[in-house]
């Protein structure tokens, strides 16, 4: 038994709207332990929608539609589904009454076009919409196939799913098992390298382990199916422990952890403080740190030293070193880190200087060259050279720079 998600709307195909509904439904199906192997996005076209239904209905037992339930001519989901199964549409007096009441609450009169939303396939049950005017349906057009339709508005769909769809699914015996997942996060190692190190775990059946890469980090998702959350977590726990040991220092956190939140907890737990000096990241590192609630406990502030004169006046960078080595250099990164640490009187000083591009690179200092400085106790200072590649975008180089700076502080703190 499996489900398929079908999202209807030409605006989704054009990229005008992010398809968050598919992500939500996929997560919800996993929580119910209902497998789903396919997702489809189709435009507001009856013939193409019928083709999608024909394929999906032949391979799954649950079809979940979002979108195409509005009052306009291009909202064709219900009538196309009914036509595909050869069933007439009937007008629901209950839906008319509900829509009329909702318009009256807003001091308005229901438009004639809204009557279209009251047309549902004969024999279908109404899936109520408590917050909007577009109801859905729960329909079993033939044995072994159940259809759900939801409006495309995420907030309406979420409420309808939790209020009606989930109880219905459980009443039918679905959702007896759940799928729990744990996402382990790694920085400083590539996806292929990590996959090779954990290759023995990638063929497990329950729990399963799968690698993912994105925005500079790699994740290992551990998923387990069991009768309840506790049992699933017990399956995950030993595998997680082994994978963390294999990952070593490259492992930094799990699930909602970020490098900024992990570094923050390390600083808070030891009563230490941090200040930052940024050039090419333009405040991005400080933004990551201050996105964490309570970061004022350990993050005292920073200096955006974009111009060399600021590096000299506020951070104490030596003009002769700027002249000799350039702003993008290990020497300057170290002096920036020491300077901000001493200026703000923190335990740690962290600095970034580099060439984020797309212009400004040279043969000796190409786009993507970044230096990170880290100053600790007794003015001990070190620097790290990073080459993120000239083909990366400016924003991605800045993101990698800020994350790598945090990761270097994390590793140094753990080693010390």
């Amino acid at each position: 038994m499996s489900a398929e998600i079908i999202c209807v709307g030409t605006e989704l195909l054009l990229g005008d709207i992010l398809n968050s509904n598919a992500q939500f439904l996929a997560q919800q199906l996993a929580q119910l332990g209902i497998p789903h192997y396919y997702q489809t996005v189709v435009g507001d076209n009856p013939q193409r929608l019928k083709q999608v239904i024909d394929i999906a209905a032949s391979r799954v037992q649950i079809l979940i539609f979002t979108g195409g339930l509005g009052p306009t001519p291009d909202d064709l989901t219900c009538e196309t589904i009914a036509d595909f199964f050869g069933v007439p549409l009937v007008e629901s007096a209950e839906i008319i009454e509900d829509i009329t009441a909702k318009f009256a609450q807003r001091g308005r009169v229901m438009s004639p076009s809204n009557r279209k939303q009251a047309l549902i396939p004969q024999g279908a049950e109404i899936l109520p919409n408590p917050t909007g005017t577009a109801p859905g349906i729960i329909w079993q057009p033939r044995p072994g196939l159940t259809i759900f339709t939801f409006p495309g508005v995420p907030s309406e769909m979420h409420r309808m799913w939790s209020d009606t769809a989930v109880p219905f699914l459980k009443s039918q015996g679905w959702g007896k098992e759940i799928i729990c997942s744990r996402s382990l996060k790694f920085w400083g190692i590539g996806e292929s390298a990590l996959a090779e190190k954990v290759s023995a775990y990638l063929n497990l059946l329950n729990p399963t382990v799968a690698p993912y890469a994105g925005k500079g980090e790699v994740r290992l998702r551990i998923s387990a199916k069991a009768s309840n959350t506790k049992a699933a977590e017990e399956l995950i726990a030993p595998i997680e422990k082994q994978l963390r040991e294999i990952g070593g220092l490259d492992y930094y956190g799990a699930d909602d952890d970020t490098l900024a939140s992990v570094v923050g907890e390390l600083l808070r737990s030891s009563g230490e403080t941090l200040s930052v000096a940024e050039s090419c990241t333009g405040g991005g590192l400080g933004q990551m740190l201050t996105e964490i609630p309570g970061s004022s406990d350990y993050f005292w502030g920073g200096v955006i030293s974009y111009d060399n004169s600021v590096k000299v006046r506020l951070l104490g960078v030596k003009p002769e070193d700027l002249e000799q080595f350039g702003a993008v250099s290990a020497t300057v990164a170290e002096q920036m880190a020491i300077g901000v640490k001493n200026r703000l009187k923190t335990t740690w000083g962290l600095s970034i200087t580099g060439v984020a591009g797309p212009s400004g690179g040279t043969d000796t200092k190409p786009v993507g060259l970044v230096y990170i400085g880290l100053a600790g106790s007794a003015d001990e200072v070190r620097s790290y050279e990073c080459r993120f590649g000239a083909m990366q975008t400016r924003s991605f180089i800045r993101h990698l720079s800020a994350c790598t700076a945090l990761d270097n502080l994390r590793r140094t703190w753990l080693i010390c």
Side-chain angles (χ1 to χ4, degrees):
M1 186 271 295
S2 61
E4 183 157 345
I5 299 168
I6 301 173
C7 299
V8 183
T10 302
E11 68 277 6
L12 296 171
L13 292 175
L14 295 174
D16 293 337
I17 295 177
L18 180 66
N19 190 7
S20 62
N21 285 344
Q23 181 185 33
F24 171 82
L25 288 169
Q27 292 169 342
Q28 293 294 307
L29 288 170
Q31 289 179 17
L32 290 169
I34 299 175
H36 96 280
Y37 307 114
Y38 304 96
Q39 294 179 7
T40 303
V41 177
V42 61
D44 301 304
N45 180 282
Q47 289 307 118
R48 286 191 282 273
L49 180 52
K50 286 180 182 179
Q51 291 171 0
V52 168
I53 297 170
D54 188 35
I55 295 170
S58 69
R59 62 190 180 191
V60 299
Q61 293 72 48
I62 303 172
L63 294 183
I64 304 173
F65 293 81
T66 68
L69 302 185
T72 59
D74 62 341
D75 291 309
L76 301 167
T77 298
C78 253
E79 61 187 86
T80 303
I81 294 172
D83 189 38
F84 177 84
F85 289 102
V87 174
L89 291 171
V90 294
E91 186 176 88
S92 166
E94 180 182 341
I95 295 175
I96 291 290
E97 183 179 351
D98 180 66
I99 297 175
T100 302
K102 285 173 178 172
F103 270 88
Q105 289 172 1
R106 303 169 191 169
R108 298 166 55 192
V109 177
M110 185 184 77
S111 302
S113 61
N114 286 100
R115 296 189 73 93
K116 178 182 179 183
Q117 294 175 298
L119 295 173
I120 62 174
Q122 190 175 56
E125 297 179 31
I126 299 168
L127 205 170
N129 184 342
T131 57
T133 61
I137 63 168
I138 301 175
W139 188 34
Q140 295 177 313
R142 66 187 188 205
L145 180 65
T146 300
I147 290 176
F148 295 85
T149 67
F150 297 91
V153 180
S155 59
E156 296 179 16
M157 188 267 288
H158 293 184
R159 177 78 180 273
M160 294 164 69
W161 174 264
S162 61
D163 285 2
T164 306
V166 171
F168 177 86
L169 287 167
K170 289 183 175 180
S171 73
Q172 300 298 304
W174 294 314
K176 289 184 177 180
E177 288 188 307
I178 64 167
I179 299 174
C180 285
S181 295
R182 179 86 161 151
S183 182
L184 309 186
K185 299 182 177 181
F186 302 80
W187 192 273
I189 186 171
E191 181 184 15
S192 59
L194 182 60
E196 187 173 330
K197 291 178 72 171
V198 302
S199 59
Y201 295 83
L202 301 183
N203 293 320
L204 297 177
L205 298 179
N206 192 27
T208 61
V209 177
Y212 300 90
K215 296 199 74 175
E217 73 177 15
V218 183
R219 301 185 182 195
L220 292 177
R221 188 198 65 205
I222 313 170
S223 298
K225 178 181 283 191
S227 58
N228 55 67
T229 300
K230 184 175 183 296
E233 289 175 346
E234 288 175 351
L235 289 171
I236 290 172
I239 303 300
E240 176 182 351
K241 182 176 183 294
Q242 294 163 30
L243 293 175
R244 288 175 60 168
E245 289 173 353
I246 292 171
L249 276 178
D250 292 330
Y251 168 81
Y252 78 82
D255 294 337
D256 295 330
D257 290 336
T258 65
L259 282 164
S261 69
V262 169
V263 166
E265 281 307 306
L266 293 174
L267 294 170
R268 180 185 282 113
S269 66
S270 60
E272 298 178 356
T273 54
L274 172 66
S275 57
V276 300
E278 303 182 62
S279 184
C280 67
T281 46
L285 177 56
Q287 181 183 11
M288 285 183 180
L289 288 160
T290 54
E291 281 178 347
I292 309 303
S295 56
S296 58
D297 291 346
Y298 50 82
F299 178 59
W300 284 14
V303 174
I304 302 176
S305 53
Y306 213 62
D307 189 79
N308 285 346
S309 64
V310 180
K311 295 179 176 70
V312 173
R313 291 200 314 270
L314 292 184
L315 300 176
V317 176
K318 297 176 182 178
E320 58 269 27
D321 288 339
L322 280 166
E323 180 67 28
Q324 181 179 353
F325 302 106
V328 180
S329 63
T331 299
V332 169
E334 291 173 3
Q335 291 179 33
M336 288 170 62
I338 293 172
V340 76
K341 172 184 176 293
N342 292 339
R343 186 86 175 188
L344 274 65
K345 303 187 185 309
T346 54
T347 313
W348 298 90
L350 190 57
S351 69
I352 303 174
T353 179
V355 186
S359 60
T362 65
D363 290 340
T364 56
K365 295 186 178 181
V367 170
L369 175 64
V370 174
Y371 288 93
I372 295 167
L374 179 60
S377 59
D379 279 349
E380 295 177 1
V381 64
R382 65 195 73 190
S383 59
Y384 309 87
E385 180 182 287
C386 306
R387 293 180 179 267
F388 296 124
M391 299 304 293
Q392 304 291 356
T393 64
R394 178 179 178 84
S395 62
F396 192 49
I397 289 172
R398 284 154 58 102
H399 171 79
L400 291 174
S401 300
C403 288
T404 303
L406 289 169
D407 187 55
N408 284 328
L409 173 55
R410 177 187 69 88
R411 290 170 184 262
T412 301
W413 193 97
L414 291 174
I415 292 171
C416 294

